[in-house]
Amino acid sequence: MKRKYIIIISIISLVLLATITFGKIGLDFYKETKIKEEIKEIMKYINNSNYTDQKLTEILERSVVKKGDYNEVETSIKNYYKDLANDLSNLQFLLSEDNFVNYLSADNLKEDQPNFIKSKANLVNSASQIEEVYQNINTRTTDINTKRYYIADKQVKTYYKDFYLSLIEDNITEEFTKRIKAEKNNGIEKTKTYNQVLDFLIANEGHWNLNQDIIVFDETTLYEEYLNITKSLKEDSAS
C-alpha cells in the first residue's frame, strides 16, 4: 500500500512538473510572439519612412511585457529602434526638398552673388552631414557590436540576448539597407548638382539677372545649358 502511495505521489509530481514546464514554455512563446508583433508594427513605419509618426513613438515607448527577462529584451530592442528612427529622421530632413530649395531662390541669389560663398559652404556642410548621419545608420544596422550594445548590460542569459539579436537581424533587411544607401547617394548628388549650378552662374556673371525673381539669360544657349544642369533637380522635386 505504501508503495502504491509513493507511485501515485510520483505521478502527481511528474504531472505538476510537466504542467509547470509546459506552462512556462507556453508563456514564453506568448511573450516572444507579442514582442515580434511589436517589431512588425515598428518596421511598418520604418519601411514606409514614417520615422516621426506619433503612433510609432507610442509603440516605442510602451511595454507589452511588463517584467522579467523578456521585458529586458523588449526594452533593449525598442531603445535600438528609437535611435535608428532618430537617425533616419535626421537623414530624411537633410535630404528633404526644404533643405535645398533656398539655394536658387531669388532672395538667396541676390544676397549671396556673385561668388555664392555662403551657399557653397552650406552645400559642403550638408554633404558632410548627410554622409555622417548615413554612416551612423550603416553602423547601427550592420555592426554586430553596435547591435549588441543595447542589451550588453542586461542581466539576462545568453538565450535572451540571442533572441534580441535575431529580432534585429531578421528585420533589418538587405532591401532596407540598399534603399537608405540609394537615398543617401541621391542626396550627395543633389549637393553636387546645386554646386554645379552655382559654379555655372559664377562663370557666366554678367550674362544673367533676376527679372521678377526669375533667372533670365542674355543668350539662348546659356539658358538651355542652365536648364540641362537643373533638369535633375526639377525631376527630384516632382517625384
Side-chain angles (χ1 to χ4, degrees), residues 207-219 223:
H207 294 282
W208 65 272
N209 61 74
L210 290 168
N211 186 358
Q212 295 183 345
D213 292 343
I214 298 174
I215 296 178
V216 177
F217 291 88
D218 60 9
E219 296 179 20
Y223 177 62

Side-chain angles (χ1 to χ4, degrees), residues 1 16 23 34 43 46 50 55 58 68 72 82 84 92 98 128 149 162 165 178 181 189 196 216 223 230 232:
M1 182 67 69
L16 288 173
K34 294 296 291 183
M43 290 309 299
I46 288 180
N50 296 325
K55 182 61 178 176
E58 291 174 6
E72 299 282 24
K82 283 178 190 176
L84 178 60
Q92 188 178 58
D98 290 343
S128 178
Y149 164 79
D162 289 344
L165 194 59
K178 284 182 177 179
K181 184 176 182 179
E189 286 302 312
Q196 185 181 358
V216 177
Y223 177 62
T230 58
S232 64

Side-chain angles (χ1 to χ4, degrees), residues 8-26:
I8 291 173
I9 292 172
S10 298
I11 292 173
I12 292 173
S13 298
L14 289 172
V15 170
L16 288 173
L17 179 61
T19 301
I20 293 170
T21 300
F22 283 112
K24 184 180 185 307
I25 292 173

Side-chain angles (χ1 to χ4, degrees), residues 57-105:
T57 302
E58 291 174 6
I59 295 171
L60 291 171
E61 292 295 337
R62 74 190 181 195
S63 295
V64 294
V65 180
K66 303 302 181 183
K67 59 183 180 180
D69 294 331
Y70 282 106
N71 173 262
E72 299 282 24
V73 171
E74 182 186 3
T75 300
S76 298
I77 201 164
K78 286 187 174 179
N79 285 338
Y80 170 86
Y81 279 114
K82 283 178 190 176
D83 286 348
L84 178 60
N86 184 60
D87 284 339
L88 290 167
S89 177
N90 289 338
L91 183 64
Q92 188 178 58
F93 167 75
L94 291 171
L95 299 178
S96 67
E97 191 62 27
D98 290 343
N99 201 40
F100 288 93
V101 68
N102 185 58
Y103 287 111
L104 296 181
S105 69

Side-chain angles (χ1 to χ4, degrees), residues 137-167:
I137 296 169
N138 188 54
T139 298
R140 205 177 302 286
T141 55
T142 61
D143 182 66
I144 192 69
N145 290 325
T146 301
K147 294 174 183 177
R148 285 174 173 161
Y149 164 79
Y150 292 85
I151 201 168
D153 64 341
K154 305 299 183 184
Q155 301 301 310
V156 296
K157 293 180 180 178
T158 301
Y159 172 82
Y160 299 99
K161 294 184 177 182
D162 289 344
F163 175 60
Y164 154 87
L165 194 59
S166 72
L167 291 176

